[in-house]
Amino acid sequence: MNVVALAGGIGGGKFLRGLVRAVAPGDVTAVVNTGDDIVMHGLAISPDLDSVTYWLGGVFDRERGWGRRDESFRATEELRRFDAEGAWFGLGDLDLATHLYRTRLLGEGLTLSEVTARIATRFEIAARIVPMSDDPVTTRIDAVAQGAELDLHFQEYWVQRGAADGVKGVRFHGAEVARPAPGVLEAIEAADAVVIAPSNPVVSISPILAVPGIRDAVAARRDRVVGVSGILGGAPLAGMADRLMPAVGLEVTAAGAASAYEGLLAAWVIDERDRDLAPRIERDLGVRVAVTDSVMHDDAAAQALARTALAQVTG
């Protein structure tokens, strides 16, 4: 069974851990958000690509939810002593090696897709991890702080400023001229199932769908598309989706998350605590709704969730 997953962030990484246990890892293609990418200290950093890689590679820090297990931060601590620009962005020492390696290869002329594949090989990952695009796309937050309007990179909004600012809008700079990474459209076209992971619908999945051609490719396979809600009981389990969804007109519920993918879904998976929303979602969006325990406490729970999702579109 060929499966394509659109993913990003902690929820995406956890879900993919289950997905590669539900189907053969070599049959999985993860199309990953790169709107969070940033250059820091001269290094090319791809947070969502790295998060997915570390989760699939078994080196993630499950308790912290991001970065590598047994990580240290001595380099970042020293940068802060220097009062270096950008030292607010916490780079782990092991993580730093990934960024150094990526930056060197990009400088030699390799594409982000090619570099991502080499990094995945280093972590012995059988699934295929691809960026949504080899072209730069940047998530920008139109924010307001103390009456002043701000144009912030997503990492500035989320990490540096702690998501404390009011949000007026979200933009994906460069998306209109970006091209899907090689193989993305072909993978979607050939997939037996396309799964939208329980990632932030605003800044993890929407940037992927903003790349010309990807939304249309997913829509063309609508009968094979299932999504999993990352909103449970009116709140995200992690992250700041609740602060961003209202800014783009989405209700902070499992129903609101589903509406972000209107016209794309055949089925939607929600948590037991949101069971009462199922009839509304089915009526308003015309999709099948499955209700299950969707909290991914461990790999077994993530595998069960992946199986439930796949069953909605593969019989």
Side-chain angles (χ1 to χ4, degrees):
M1 179 189 300
N2 292 318
V3 180
V4 170
L6 309 186
I10 299 171
K14 285 185 177 181
F15 182 80
L16 287 167
R17 287 277 298 180
L19 185 60
V20 297
R21 285 158 173 75
V23 300
D27 293 339
V28 173
T29 297
V31 180
V32 181
N33 167 51
T34 58
D36 297 3
D37 288 13
I38 192 169
V39 174
M40 196 68 67
H41 312 301
L43 301 176
I45 300 171
S46 295
D48 276 6
L49 282 172
D50 292 340
S51 180
V52 164
T53 298
Y54 296 157
W55 279 93
L56 287 177
V59 298
F60 55 92
D61 188 310
R62 184 178 287 273
E63 291 192 11
R64 190 172 60 233
W66 58 272
R68 293 187 57 173
R69 187 170 58 249
D70 300 323
E71 184 64 280
S72 57
F73 292 86
R74 294 183 66 187
T76 290
E77 290 164 2
E78 190 67 11
L79 283 166
R80 289 173 179 165
R81 293 187 188 100
F82 279 118
D83 196 24
E85 183 179 359
W88 50 266
F89 195 85
L91 296 177
D93 299 327
L94 294 171
D95 193 34
L96 191 60
T98 302
H99 308 318
L100 287 165
Y101 183 67
R102 175 187 293 114
T103 303
R104 179 177 67 80
L105 293 181
L106 290 173
E108 292 175 358
L110 275 69
T111 66
L112 184 58
S113 294
E114 292 168 334
V115 177
T116 299
R118 290 199 185 187
I119 294 173
T121 297
R122 175 263 178 266
F123 289 100
E124 301 180 344
I125 296 170
R128 183 183 178 206
I129 303 173
V130 293
M132 65 191 195
S133 178
D134 285 334
D135 301 316
V137 177
T138 304
T139 298
R140 307 290 307 185
I141 306 296
D142 295 322
V144 179
Q146 297 179 336
E149 296 189 359
L150 304 173
D151 175 6
L152 302 173
H153 187 287
F154 171 75
Q155 301 296 349
E156 294 174 319
Y157 165 76
W158 173 233
V159 180
Q160 184 181 27
R161 302 174 67 87
D165 304 308
V167 178
K168 296 177 60 179
V170 182
R171 296 174 287 112
F172 309 118
H173 181 72
E176 64 281 358
V177 295
R179 297 158 295 177
V184 168
L185 299 184
E186 293 81 359
I188 294 171
E189 182 179 356
D192 297 301
V194 178
V195 184
I196 300 177
S199 303
N200 187 317
V202 181
V203 293
S204 290
I205 303 299
S206 289
I208 301 174
L209 297 173
V211 175
I214 295 183
R215 176 179 283 273
D216 289 344
V218 174
R221 304 304 314 282
R222 180 176 180 176
D223 63 328
R224 293 288 183 170
V225 181
V226 58
V228 181
S229 179
I231 304 297
L232 289 69
L237 285 180
M240 81 314 291
D242 54 332
R243 306 186 196 188
L244 297 178
M245 289 174 70
V248 297
L250 297 176
E251 176 184 279
V252 187
T253 64
S259 69
Y261 313 123
E262 186 170 3
L264 301 181
L265 298 169
W268 185 241
V269 180
I270 63 176
D271 189 71
E272 290 280 2
R273 71 194 76 179
D274 295 312
R275 179 179 292 275
D276 290 349
L277 290 174
R280 172 185 159 193
I281 297 170
E282 291 177 336
R283 180 189 68 242
D284 292 351
L285 298 178
V287 303
R288 298 184 300 277
V289 175
V291 182
T292 189
D293 179 359
S294 64
V295 179
M296 296 177 285
H297 303 284
D298 53 26
D299 290 342
Q303 179 179 349
L305 180 60
R307 288 189 182 279
T308 296
L310 292 173
Q312 307 312 307
V313 291
T314 61

